[in-house]
Amino acid sequence: MPANPKYLTQSKWQRFAKITAAILGGYFVSVTFHLALAAWFNRADVLMTMAFTGFILWVALMIIAFLAKSGWKIWGIYILISLLFSFLIYLGQTYNPAQ
């Protein structure tokens, strides 16, 4: 049974934004989250765990991107979260360089 067209995204730009936010944006958030953890905690343990939890987090972020009303808004949210985690990576490497 096909989906009801009134529930599908009509704009090609919105569809493009959601697909790219799901794939690229979700990946960036997932990787920066785990790298921020690695900057503050035991690096080897976090990066080993990332092999499993990174994929799970990426899939969850993909689902969230497709549930959002606006693809551009979810892109903005993912970019802001990635920048926040990047700042935490910077702070972790500045104050915790010996790990």
Side-chain angles (χ1 to χ4, degrees):
M1 178 189 309
N4 192 340
K6 73 178 183 178
Y7 296 115
L8 298 176
T9 303
Q10 299 298 322
S11 170
K12 293 190 186 303
W13 286 109
Q14 281 296 321
R15 191 174 313 143
F16 174 76
K18 285 182 181 183
I19 291 170
T20 56
I23 296 170
L24 295 175
Y27 180 75
F28 292 152
V29 171
S30 179
V31 168
T32 56
F33 171 72
H34 285 90
L35 289 177
L37 287 177
W40 288 96
F41 299 110
N42 187 359
R43 187 168 310 212
D45 291 341
V46 171
L47 293 180
M48 198 62 148
T49 306
M50 182 184 161
F52 303 103
T53 59
F55 181 73
I56 294 169
L57 180 61
W58 187 24
V59 170
L61 291 168
M62 281 185 182
I63 293 169
I64 291 170
F66 285 113
L67 290 176
K69 293 280 185 192
S70 171
W72 302 114
K73 187 182 288 187
I74 200 72
W75 250 122
I77 292 169
Y78 283 177
I79 288 172
L80 287 176
I81 293 172
S82 294
L83 288 174
L84 173 71
F85 289 146
S86 297
F87 181 68
L88 292 175
I89 293 168
Y90 171 75
L91 289 178
Q93 290 177 348
T94 301
Y95 294 114
N96 220 5
Q99 283 192 1

XYZ file of all heavy atoms in Angstrom:
800
model
N 0.849 -1.159 0.000
C 0.000 0.000 0.000
C 0.909 1.240 0.000
O 1.754 1.386 0.876
C -0.894 -0.011 1.236
C -1.750 1.217 1.259
S -2.718 1.604 2.715
C -3.637 0.264 3.180
N 0.755 2.124 -0.956
C 1.607 3.320 -1.015
C 1.240 4.327 0.080
O 0.147 4.313 0.632
C 1.329 3.895 -2.401
C 0.023 3.331 -2.805
C -0.141 2.018 -2.095
N 2.214 5.192 0.369
C 2.004 6.221 1.391
C 1.032 7.277 0.881
O 0.919 7.520 -0.323
C 3.326 6.866 1.750
N 0.322 7.892 1.797
C -0.590 8.971 1.452
C 0.245 10.193 1.045
O 1.062 10.668 1.833
C -1.475 9.294 2.656
C -2.619 10.198 2.297
O -2.600 10.883 1.280
N -3.634 10.204 3.149
N 0.062 10.735 -0.156
C 0.902 11.839 -0.631
C 0.825 13.101 0.224
O 1.764 13.888 0.232
C 0.374 12.119 -2.037
C -0.351 10.897 -2.441
C -0.852 10.262 -1.182
N -0.261 13.301 0.948
C -0.353 14.528 1.749
C 0.619 14.511 2.927
O 0.930 15.547 3.476
C -1.784 14.760 2.231
C -2.260 13.840 3.315
C -3.667 14.210 3.743
C -4.119 13.331 4.886
N -5.430 13.678 5.352
N 1.129 13.335 3.310
C 2.089 13.245 4.405
C 3.541 13.274 3.922
O 4.455 13.329 4.734
C 1.860 11.978 5.226
C 0.528 11.968 5.912
C -0.448 11.041 5.585
C 0.243 12.901 6.904
C -1.662 11.033 6.221
C -0.984 12.908 7.537
C -1.927 11.976 7.190
O -3.141 11.970 7.820
N 3.753 13.207 2.635
C 5.106 13.206 2.096
C 5.601 14.640 1.879
O 4.815 15.551 1.653
C 5.153 12.442 0.769
C 4.770 10.973 0.844
C 4.767 10.373 -0.546
C 5.709 10.215 1.749
N 6.913 14.813 1.935
C 7.517 16.121 1.697
C 7.372 16.472 0.225
O 7.770 15.706 -0.651
C 9.007 16.102 2.090
O 9.108 15.699 3.449
C 9.632 17.454 1.908
N 6.792 17.640 -0.056
C 6.538 18.042 -1.435
C 7.755 18.704 -2.075
O 8.033 18.517 -3.245
C 5.343 18.991 -1.487
C 4.056 18.379 -0.969
C 3.604 17.172 -1.775
O 3.741 17.143 -2.980
N 3.081 16.173 -1.095
N 8.475 19.506 -1.316
C 9.597 20.262 -1.850
C 10.817 19.369 -2.046
O 11.205 18.615 -1.150
C 9.945 21.404 -0.890
O 11.154 22.004 -1.257
N 11.448 19.474 -3.212
C 12.660 18.705 -3.473
C 13.822 19.193 -2.617
O 14.677 18.415 -2.216
C 13.009 18.768 -4.947
C 12.008 18.059 -5.820
C 12.496 17.935 -7.229
C 11.460 17.367 -8.156
N 10.933 16.088 -7.799
N 13.854 20.489 -2.311
C 14.920 21.037 -1.448
C 14.784 20.533 -0.025
O 15.790 20.245 0.643
C 14.922 22.561 -1.487
C 15.473 23.088 -2.780
C 14.773 23.699 -3.775
C 16.821 23.009 -3.225
N 15.609 24.014 -4.808
C 16.875 23.596 -4.500
C 17.985 22.497 -2.680
C 18.055 23.695 -5.225
C 19.166 22.594 -3.405
C 19.186 23.181 -4.664
N 13.551 20.429 0.484
C 13.348 19.888 1.826
C 13.764 18.418 1.882
O 14.376 17.967 2.850
C 11.887 20.037 2.252
C 11.511 21.404 2.721
C 12.257 21.796 3.982
O 12.471 20.998 4.884
N 12.656 23.050 4.047
N 13.423 17.680 0.852
C 13.804 16.270 0.792
C 15.320 16.130 0.751
O 15.904 15.309 1.466
C 13.176 15.623 -0.445
C 13.305 14.122 -0.439
C 12.561 13.462 -1.584
N 11.207 14.008 -1.712
C 10.603 14.208 -2.880
N 11.214 13.906 -3.995
N 9.390 14.689 -2.923
N 15.978 16.969 -0.064
C 17.447 16.965 -0.137
C 18.052 17.319 1.219
O 19.017 16.681 1.667
C 17.911 17.960 -1.213
C 19.395 18.133 -1.273
C 20.198 17.162 -1.856
C 19.999 19.256 -0.740
C 21.568 17.319 -1.900
C 21.367 19.428 -0.784
C 22.163 18.452 -1.372
N 17.497 18.325 1.890
C 18.018 18.753 3.192
C 17.861 17.654 4.233
O 18.763 17.415 5.042
C 17.327 20.034 3.649
N 16.731 16.965 4.226
C 16.521 15.893 5.195
C 17.450 14.712 4.943
O 18.006 14.134 5.882
C 15.069 15.419 5.157
C 14.100 16.375 5.809
C 12.700 15.808 5.783
C 11.713 16.771 6.412
N 10.366 16.196 6.454
N 17.630 14.357 3.682
C 18.507 13.220 3.363
C 19.949 13.541 3.727
O 20.641 12.724 4.351
C 18.373 12.839 1.873
C 16.996 12.230 1.613
C 19.466 11.859 1.462
C 16.668 12.039 0.149
N 20.426 14.721 3.374
C 21.809 15.071 3.691
C 22.004 15.286 5.194
O 23.052 14.945 5.735
C 22.267 16.317 2.919
O 21.380 17.408 3.193
C 22.329 16.045 1.427
N 20.998 15.840 5.870
C 21.110 15.999 7.322
C 21.135 14.635 7.996
O 21.868 14.434 8.964
C 19.947 16.832 7.855
N 20.342 13.707 7.495
C 20.317 12.369 8.089
C 21.659 11.675 7.917
O 22.204 11.124 8.883
C 19.208 11.536 7.452
N 22.214 11.718 6.707
C 23.452 10.985 6.450
C 24.669 11.741 6.980
O 25.406 11.239 7.826
C 23.591 10.693 4.946
C 22.457 9.761 4.502
C 24.947 10.067 4.643
C 22.348 9.581 3.017
N 24.889 12.944 6.491
C 26.099 13.691 6.865
C 25.997 14.315 8.256
O 26.917 14.194 9.063
C 26.387 14.775 5.824
C 26.735 14.293 4.432
C 26.870 15.470 3.480
C 27.994 13.473 4.464
N 24.899 15.007 8.516
C 24.746 15.677 9.807
C 24.735 14.700 10.964
O 25.374 14.933 11.997
N 24.021 13.584 10.812
C 24.007 12.565 11.854
C 25.383 11.963 12.084
O 25.781 11.697 13.218
N 26.123 11.785 11.009
C 27.489 11.247 11.125
C 28.394 12.237 11.859
O 29.153 11.852 12.746
C 28.044 10.936 9.740
C 29.441 10.388 9.775
C 29.682 9.078 10.168
C 30.527 11.177 9.418
C 30.967 8.563 10.212
C 31.809 10.677 9.455
C 32.023 9.368 9.855
O 33.304 8.873 9.899
N 28.309 13.519 11.503
C 29.141 14.529 12.164
C 28.841 14.607 13.654
O 29.753 14.691 14.475
C 28.947 15.901 11.525
C 29.475 16.027 10.130
C 28.903 16.925 9.246
C 30.531 15.254 9.688
C 29.382 17.047 7.954
C 31.009 15.359 8.402
C 30.440 16.260 7.525
N 27.570 14.595 14.017
C 27.193 14.661 15.438
C 27.690 13.414 16.163
O 28.250 13.512 17.266
C 25.670 14.829 15.602
C 25.260 14.680 17.051
C 25.218 16.170 15.067
N 27.521 12.262 15.570
C 27.949 11.018 16.197
C 29.462 10.990 16.424
O 29.930 10.645 17.514
C 27.524 9.835 15.330
O 27.946 8.620 15.881
N 30.214 11.371 15.422
C 31.678 11.341 15.540
C 32.178 12.396 16.514
O 33.033 12.106 17.366
C 32.329 11.502 14.150
C 33.817 11.763 14.270
C 32.082 10.274 13.315
N 31.656 13.618 16.424
C 32.135 14.652 17.343
C 31.752 14.335 18.785
O 32.509 14.653 19.707
C 31.624 16.049 16.951
O 30.197 16.036 16.872
C 32.229 16.522 15.653
N 30.603 13.703 19.001
C 30.219 13.293 20.354
C 31.239 12.317 20.929
O 31.709 12.483 22.055
C 28.817 12.659 20.339
C 28.440 12.014 21.637
C 28.141 12.787 22.749
C 28.387 10.632 21.753
C 27.788 12.191 23.956
C 28.036 10.037 22.948
C 27.744 10.818 24.051
N 31.600 11.314 20.153
C 32.535 10.317 20.660
C 33.952 10.884 20.788
O 34.678 10.504 21.708
C 32.507 9.075 19.774
C 31.292 8.248 19.994
N 30.132 8.436 19.290
C 31.034 7.251 20.874
C 29.232 7.575 19.708
N 29.748 6.848 20.680
N 34.344 11.763 19.912
C 35.662 12.385 20.052
C 35.715 13.314 21.259
O 36.757 13.438 21.912
C 36.036 13.140 18.779
C 36.356 12.252 17.577
C 36.648 13.109 16.350
C 37.524 11.335 17.874
N 34.594 13.965 21.572
C 34.542 14.795 22.781
C 34.668 13.919 24.025
O 35.355 14.299 24.987
C 33.248 15.606 22.816
N 34.028 12.767 24.023
C 34.201 11.842 25.145
C 35.643 11.357 25.236
O 36.198 11.242 26.330
C 33.263 10.640 25.000
C 31.784 10.867 25.259
C 31.012 9.574 25.000
C 31.550 11.335 26.673
N 36.260 11.085 24.090
C 37.646 10.602 24.075
C 38.616 11.672 24.555
O 39.689 11.349 25.077
C 38.029 10.142 22.672
N 38.263 12.940 24.395
C 39.141 14.016 24.859
C 39.133 14.130 26.373
O 40.082 14.668 26.955
C 38.722 15.338 24.225
N 38.094 13.647 27.027
C 37.977 13.789 28.480
C 38.187 12.474 29.229
O 38.556 12.489 30.398
C 36.617 14.373 28.842
C 36.518 15.817 28.477
C 35.976 16.336 27.345
C 37.016 16.927 29.228
N 36.093 17.698 27.342
C 36.725 18.095 28.497
C 37.674 17.036 30.445
C 37.068 19.355 28.946
C 38.017 18.302 30.894
C 37.717 19.444 30.147
N 37.912 11.351 28.600
C 38.023 10.054 29.274
C 39.100 9.216 28.591
O 39.797 9.696 27.701
C 36.673 9.330 29.265
C 35.593 10.089 29.983
C 34.551 10.673 29.276
C 35.621 10.237 31.351
C 33.559 11.382 29.926
C 34.639 10.943 32.023
C 33.618 11.515 31.308
N 39.212 7.977 28.990
C 40.223 7.090 28.414
C 39.970 6.922 26.913
O 38.974 6.355 26.490
C 40.176 5.738 29.126
C 41.298 4.838 28.698
O 42.119 5.194 27.859
N 41.335 3.661 29.283
N 40.910 7.406 26.133
C 40.751 7.482 24.680
C 40.539 6.115 24.045
O 39.680 5.938 23.187
C 41.973 8.166 24.087
C 41.866 8.466 22.631
C 42.957 9.380 22.241
N 42.943 10.482 23.200
C 43.274 11.721 22.942
N 43.698 12.023 21.769
N 43.213 12.658 23.848
N 41.326 5.133 24.438
C 41.235 3.808 23.819
C 39.875 3.164 24.084
O 39.277 2.567 23.182
C 42.355 2.914 24.336
N 39.391 3.289 25.304
C 38.092 2.691 25.633
C 36.949 3.354 24.870
O 36.052 2.682 24.361
C 37.820 2.799 27.135
C 38.754 1.906 27.947
O 39.337 0.973 27.356
O 38.881 2.155 29.163
N 36.991 4.675 24.793
C 35.910 5.395 24.102
C 35.924 5.083 22.610
O 34.875 4.840 22.002
C 36.014 6.919 24.348
C 35.033 7.673 23.472
C 35.775 7.244 25.806
N 37.092 5.067 22.000
C 37.158 4.804 20.561
C 36.799 3.362 20.233
O 36.245 3.082 19.166
C 38.538 5.164 20.020
C 38.857 6.662 20.061
C 40.242 6.927 19.501
C 37.820 7.474 19.316
N 37.085 2.436 21.142
C 36.680 1.052 20.921
C 35.159 0.919 21.030
O 34.520 0.216 20.254
C 37.367 0.155 21.944
C 37.352 -1.254 21.548
S 38.271 -1.396 20.012
C 38.935 -2.984 20.201
N 34.587 1.617 21.990
C 33.131 1.593 22.166
C 32.429 2.289 21.006
O 31.310 1.932 20.650
C 32.762 2.278 23.496
O 33.491 1.652 24.537
C 31.287 2.166 23.786
N 33.104 3.256 20.403
C 32.510 4.010 19.293
C 32.166 3.115 18.105
O 31.253 3.424 17.343
C 33.460 5.123 18.848
C 32.928 5.986 17.760
S 34.188 7.158 17.254
C 33.562 7.630 15.673
N 32.867 2.015 17.965
C 32.577 1.110 16.852
C 31.140 0.602 16.919
O 30.527 0.331 15.881
C 33.553 -0.059 16.870
N 30.595 0.505 18.122
C 29.229 0.003 18.279
C 28.229 1.137 18.521
O 27.217 1.240 17.840
C 29.161 -1.009 19.427
C 30.108 -2.154 19.238
C 31.293 -2.210 19.945
C 29.823 -3.154 18.330
C 32.175 -3.253 19.751
C 30.696 -4.200 18.131
C 31.880 -4.254 18.849
N 28.534 1.983 19.499
C 27.573 3.021 19.861
C 27.499 4.124 18.809
O 26.471 4.787 18.691
C 27.917 3.634 21.223
O 29.232 4.195 21.170
C 27.823 2.600 22.322
N 28.577 4.323 18.059
C 28.556 5.342 17.007
C 27.527 5.022 15.940
O 26.795 5.899 15.478
N 27.460 3.767 15.553
C 26.487 3.368 14.548
C 25.061 3.496 15.076
O 24.158 3.960 14.365
C 26.764 1.931 14.099
C 25.812 1.451 13.055
C 25.890 1.924 11.754
C 24.824 0.535 13.360
C 24.999 1.493 10.788
C 23.943 0.100 12.405
C 24.035 0.579 11.117
N 24.843 3.106 16.325
C 23.503 3.192 16.917
C 23.051 4.641 17.016
O 21.914 4.987 16.679
C 23.482 2.506 18.301
C 23.719 1.009 18.133
C 22.177 2.768 19.028
C 23.981 0.275 19.426
N 23.954 5.522 17.470
C 23.627 6.943 17.560
C 23.365 7.539 16.179
O 22.441 8.338 16.004
C 24.757 7.697 18.265
C 24.578 9.197 18.439
C 23.344 9.504 19.280
C 25.825 9.805 19.063
N 24.155 7.140 15.190
C 23.980 7.648 13.826
C 22.601 7.272 13.283
O 21.911 8.098 12.687
C 25.092 7.098 12.948
C 25.154 7.662 11.565
C 24.674 8.868 11.135
C 25.738 7.043 10.435
N 24.936 9.034 9.792
C 25.593 7.928 9.341
C 26.379 5.848 10.219
C 26.069 7.632 8.068
C 26.861 5.566 8.951
C 26.693 6.452 7.902
N 22.179 6.052 13.499
C 20.863 5.605 13.026
C 19.750 6.373 13.739
O 18.766 6.787 13.112
C 20.703 4.081 13.200
C 19.282 3.638 12.957
C 21.660 3.349 12.267
N 19.902 6.585 15.036
C 18.890 7.345 15.778
C 18.800 8.777 15.254
O 17.704 9.334 15.108
C 19.226 7.340 17.268
N 19.935 9.382 14.947
C 19.932 10.741 14.403
C 19.356 10.783 12.989
O 18.742 11.780 12.600
C 21.353 11.324 14.427
C 21.901 11.613 15.822
C 23.391 11.888 15.759
C 21.160 12.766 16.455
N 19.525 9.713 12.236
C 18.893 9.636 10.915
C 17.375 9.635 11.048
O 16.681 10.326 10.306
C 19.331 8.366 10.182
C 20.661 8.415 9.562
S 20.890 6.877 8.645
C 22.522 7.100 8.047
N 16.869 8.852 11.969
C 15.426 8.777 12.171
C 14.880 10.129 12.602
O 13.836 10.578 12.106
C 15.090 7.672 13.191
C 15.433 6.309 12.596
C 13.630 7.728 13.615
C 15.385 5.166 13.587
N 15.584 10.800 13.508
C 15.148 12.123 13.966
C 15.115 13.113 12.811
O 14.196 13.933 12.710
C 16.061 12.616 15.105
C 15.834 11.770 16.349
C 15.822 14.086 15.407
C 16.831 12.012 17.450
N 16.100 13.035 11.916
C 16.138 13.959 10.776
C 14.923 13.777 9.873
O 14.366 14.753 9.372
C 17.420 13.765 9.976
N 14.487 12.556 9.664
C 13.334 12.333 8.797
C 12.011 12.632 9.494
O 11.004 12.865 8.831
C 13.337 10.908 8.240
C 14.356 10.711 7.160
C 15.446 9.890 7.359
C 14.233 11.370 5.957
C 16.391 9.711 6.370
C 15.173 11.202 4.949
C 16.255 10.372 5.162
N 11.998 12.648 10.806
C 10.777 12.997 11.532
C 10.581 14.508 11.652
O 9.485 14.962 11.950
C 10.798 12.372 12.933
C 10.661 10.857 12.989
C 10.790 10.381 14.428
C 9.353 10.413 12.383
N 11.638 15.273 11.434
C 11.566 16.733 11.572
C 10.702 17.333 10.466
O 10.613 16.806 9.359
C 12.958 17.330 11.526
N 10.066 18.457 10.780
C 9.232 19.151 9.795
C 10.091 19.841 8.737
O 9.753 19.851 7.570
C 8.355 20.197 10.490
C 7.324 19.606 11.403
C 6.151 19.138 10.609
C 5.064 18.659 11.555
N 4.041 17.958 10.863
N 11.197 20.461 9.172
C 12.037 21.226 8.260
C 13.436 20.616 8.205
O 14.092 20.424 9.238
C 12.133 22.681 8.734
O 13.094 23.371 7.995
N 13.891 20.335 6.998
C 15.236 19.809 6.821
C 16.302 20.830 7.157
O 17.370 20.488 7.670
N 16.024 22.096 6.885
C 17.011 23.145 7.167
C 17.139 23.373 8.661
O 18.235 23.655 9.167
C 16.635 24.432 6.453
C 16.520 24.226 4.979
C 15.391 24.327 4.234
C 17.555 23.817 4.077
N 15.664 24.016 2.923
C 16.980 23.705 2.798
C 18.907 23.527 4.226
C 17.716 23.325 1.681
C 19.633 23.147 3.105
C 19.045 23.060 1.860
N 16.048 23.238 9.392
C 16.106 23.415 10.849
C 16.915 22.286 11.488
O 17.724 22.520 12.384
C 14.702 23.434 11.434
C 14.682 23.779 12.914
C 13.281 23.745 13.489
C 12.499 24.927 12.978
N 11.174 25.047 13.620
N 16.736 21.066 11.019
C 17.490 19.946 11.584
C 18.965 20.060 11.225
O 19.836 19.718 12.014
C 16.875 18.590 11.169
C 17.319 17.477 12.125
C 17.204 18.209 9.773
C 16.700 17.535 13.461
N 19.265 20.598 10.034
C 20.664 20.860 9.671
C 21.265 21.862 10.645
O 22.397 21.686 11.112
C 20.768 21.413 8.250
C 21.369 20.468 7.264
C 20.788 20.020 6.131
C 22.661 19.861 7.309
N 21.628 19.166 5.474
C 22.793 19.057 6.174
C 23.717 19.908 8.205
C 23.935 18.308 5.906
C 24.859 19.168 7.940
C 24.958 18.382 6.798
N 20.527 22.921 10.946
C 21.025 23.925 11.885
C 21.271 23.342 13.262
O 22.292 23.639 13.905
N 20.357 22.505 13.713
C 20.515 21.867 15.024
C 21.738 20.951 15.029
O 22.545 20.971 15.969
C 19.232 21.105 15.406
C 18.098 22.087 15.667
C 19.467 20.195 16.605
C 16.741 21.431 15.794
N 21.906 20.165 13.984
C 23.050 19.255 13.920
C 24.366 20.026 13.838
O 25.365 19.613 14.441
C 22.914 18.308 12.729
C 21.938 17.174 12.941
C 21.662 16.278 11.930
C 21.279 16.990 14.150
C 20.778 15.226 12.111
C 20.390 15.955 14.344
C 20.152 15.070 13.317
O 19.272 14.033 13.502
N 24.391 21.132 13.125
C 25.617 21.934 13.049
C 25.934 22.545 14.409
O 27.100 22.531 14.845
C 25.496 23.013 11.950
C 25.555 22.354 10.579
C 26.587 24.066 12.094
C 25.252 23.281 9.428
N 24.927 23.061 15.097
C 25.169 23.641 16.424
C 25.646 22.584 17.421
O 26.568 22.845 18.208
C 23.901 24.318 16.940
C 23.531 25.638 16.278
C 22.197 26.140 16.811
C 24.618 26.670 16.518
N 25.062 21.403 17.389
C 25.500 20.338 18.289
C 26.929 19.921 17.959
O 27.747 19.707 18.867
C 24.528 19.144 18.223
C 23.170 19.529 18.799
C 25.084 17.940 18.961
C 22.095 18.479 18.601
N 27.254 19.822 16.673
C 28.618 19.460 16.280
C 29.618 20.522 16.718
O 30.728 20.194 17.160
C 28.707 19.259 14.770
O 27.959 18.145 14.375
N 29.250 21.788 16.608
C 30.138 22.852 17.066
C 30.321 22.808 18.580
O 31.436 23.047 19.078
C 29.605 24.212 16.623
C 29.718 24.526 15.135
C 29.022 25.845 14.818
C 31.163 24.559 14.709
N 29.265 22.515 19.309
C 29.372 22.384 20.761
C 30.324 21.246 21.125
O 31.206 21.413 21.978
C 27.997 22.135 21.381
C 28.000 21.816 22.870
C 28.341 23.058 23.675
C 26.674 21.236 23.278
N 30.172 20.105 20.480
C 31.066 18.981 20.754
C 32.494 19.291 20.314
O 33.455 18.873 20.968
C 30.561 17.705 20.085
C 29.326 17.128 20.724
C 28.374 16.484 19.954
C 29.111 17.213 22.085
C 27.249 15.937 20.531
C 27.981 16.674 22.677
C 27.048 16.035 21.900
N 32.654 20.035 19.233
C 33.997 20.439 18.797
C 34.650 21.344 19.832
O 35.855 21.243 20.088
C 33.932 21.147 17.446
O 33.445 20.282 16.462
N 33.860 22.226 20.433
C 34.386 23.084 21.499
C 34.795 22.240 22.703
O 35.832 22.503 23.329
C 33.332 24.128 21.888
C 33.778 25.071 22.956
C 34.776 25.992 22.716
C 33.201 25.013 24.218
C 35.196 26.860 23.707
C 33.607 25.868 25.216
C 34.616 26.793 24.962
N 34.005 21.217 23.028
C 34.374 20.329 24.122
C 35.635 19.533 23.800
O 36.439 19.240 24.699
C 33.216 19.390 24.455
C 31.987 20.042 25.075
C 30.869 19.023 25.249
C 32.331 20.683 26.399
N 35.827 19.173 22.543
C 37.066 18.507 22.120
C 38.248 19.440 22.340
O 39.281 19.044 22.883
C 36.980 18.068 20.644
C 35.949 16.973 20.461
C 38.346 17.605 20.138
C 35.594 16.690 19.014
N 38.091 20.690 21.941
C 39.153 21.681 22.128
C 39.491 21.856 23.606
O 40.663 21.854 23.993
C 38.731 23.013 21.510
C 39.657 24.139 21.839
C 40.900 24.235 21.225
C 39.303 25.099 22.772
C 41.761 25.268 21.539
C 40.151 26.133 23.096
C 41.388 26.220 22.471
O 42.242 27.238 22.785
N 38.463 21.989 24.439
C 38.704 22.141 25.874
C 39.364 20.897 26.461
O 40.257 20.995 27.314
C 37.402 22.436 26.609
C 36.783 23.801 26.401
C 35.466 23.904 27.171
C 37.732 24.897 26.838
N 38.925 19.728 26.021
C 39.512 18.488 26.514
C 40.976 18.354 26.147
O 41.793 17.898 26.946
N 41.332 18.760 24.929
C 42.732 18.684 24.525
C 43.573 19.766 25.178
O 44.765 19.592 25.379
C 42.836 18.777 23.009
C 42.298 17.553 22.322
C 42.336 17.670 20.816
O 42.553 18.745 20.265
N 42.098 16.561 20.131
N 42.955 20.880 25.555
C 43.680 21.950 26.201
C 43.948 21.617 27.668
O 45.068 21.798 28.156
C 42.886 23.257 26.107
O 42.659 23.568 24.733
C 43.643 24.408 26.767
N 42.939 21.156 28.384
C 43.069 20.916 29.814
C 43.434 19.480 30.169
O 43.727 19.186 31.312
C 41.765 21.290 30.523
C 41.491 22.759 30.450
C 40.403 23.238 29.741
C 42.313 23.687 31.057
C 40.139 24.600 29.641
C 42.083 25.035 30.983
C 40.984 25.499 30.275
O 40.749 26.832 30.188
N 43.411 18.598 29.213
C 43.673 17.194 29.466
C 44.613 16.627 28.402
O 44.308 15.620 27.780
C 42.332 16.445 29.424
C 42.205 15.396 30.453
O 43.067 15.241 31.298
N 41.123 14.649 30.385
N 45.777 17.241 28.152
C 46.589 16.845 26.994
C 47.329 15.517 27.148
O 47.753 14.940 26.159
C 47.580 17.992 26.863
C 47.722 18.505 28.244
C 46.374 18.325 28.887
N 47.478 15.009 28.349
C 48.315 13.844 28.569
C 47.662 12.529 28.162
O 48.312 11.511 28.115
C 48.714 13.764 30.039
N 46.390 12.538 27.888
C 45.728 11.265 27.564
C 46.057 10.826 26.199
O 45.852 11.000 25.193
C 44.227 11.396 27.752
C 43.864 11.354 29.192
C 42.366 11.186 29.369
O 41.613 11.077 28.416
N 41.932 11.150 30.598
